[in-house]
Amino acid sequence: MAPIPRIPEPPRDAPESYVGLDADGAAQLARTRGWRVVRALPPGAIVTMEYLAGRLNFEVEDDTVTRCWIG
């Protein structure tokens, strides 16, 4: 039987700390804190509900992060 894959633990980070930052600066900061994937989305974007370990999502309006969540 194949071993069960180990899902990496996401960085210990507070998503709300990115709200209010400019999108590029927030993405750079997130990568330095260990996030493997950083995704910027426009307000109201339709996204799938799959969870991806190590991904940080930003909702960006007028180049400012207005919402942030993990997965």
Side-chain angles (χ1 to χ4, degrees), residues 2 11 18-20 25 28-29 42 56 59-60 62-63 65:
Y18 295 94
V19 175
Q28 285 181 328
L29 179 60
L56 191 64
E59 185 171 278
V60 177
D62 297 326
D63 199 41
V65 176

Side-chain angles (χ1 to χ4, degrees), residues 11-59:
R12 296 188 188 277
D13 196 8
E16 61 275 4
S17 68
Y18 295 94
V19 175
L21 300 177
D22 69 279
D24 290 335
Q28 285 181 328
L29 179 60
R31 287 187 184 93
T32 64
R33 291 181 176 176
W35 294 100
R36 291 182 296 125
V37 178
V38 179
R39 179 169 67 167
L41 303 161
I46 298 172
V47 295
T48 59
M49 295 300 293
E50 88 279 0
Y51 179 88
L52 179 61
R55 177 172 64 193
L56 191 64
N57 300 287
F58 296 142
E59 185 171 278

